[in-house]
Amino acid sequence: PLLCNIPDMAANMIDADVEYTFHCYDHCPFGNRVAFLMDHFGIKYKKVVYGYGSGALPKDCEGEGYDGDLNPRRLTGKKQLPVLEGAGVPIVKPDDIGMAESLEICS
């Protein structure tokens, strides 16, 4: 079946010299989906983990969020993770730093 050939096909498409940075929340199952596939296919990446309220402006969420140095808003302009960053990763807007949406990253 086709599924048996997927690891072989992926191995041929992976550039061993490129290292990606994977940004995700500590509590997000969608980030786990991306990490699982990247590990499965042997894609090298550095993982940057954000806390639950990271990127939430306190004025927008009754003082509960925080907007410190480790902030996902700098990646896509939104409080949105997971995001994959690295050479050759497609971006949507010119000022984006990486690709968001786990299904798009996985595809």
Side-chain angles (χ1 to χ4, degrees):
L2 177 61
L3 290 178
C4 294
N5 296 326
I6 289 176
D8 295 332
M9 293 183 329
N12 292 330
M13 295 186 304
I14 296 169
D15 185 345
D17 295 327
V18 173
E19 185 170 314
Y20 299 97
T21 302
F22 175 59
H23 302 265
C24 62
Y25 286 118
D26 57 2
H27 62 280
C28 180
F30 304 108
N32 292 337
R33 170 183 19 210
V34 176
F36 171 79
L37 285 174
M38 292 177 72
D39 291 340
H40 179 76
F41 290 118
I43 300 171
K44 294 186 299 183
Y45 65 96
K46 177 178 76 170
K47 190 173 187 179
V48 180
V49 180
Y50 297 76
Y52 181 75
S54 184
L57 299 173
K59 67 178 180 68
D60 294 339
C61 56
E62 300 176 1
E64 296 299 322
Y66 54 93
D67 197 21
D69 295 332
L70 190 60
N71 182 337
R73 288 178 182 261
R74 69 176 182 80
L75 301 167
T76 61
K78 301 178 193 172
K79 183 185 180 299
Q80 176 184 16
L81 292 174
V83 171
L84 183 64
E85 172 186 4
V89 174
I91 57 173
V92 176
K93 298 179 296 202
D95 51 342
D96 285 354
I97 294 178
M99 174 188 279
E101 294 296 334
S102 63
L103 286 177
E104 290 180 12
I105 294 168
C106 290
S107 67

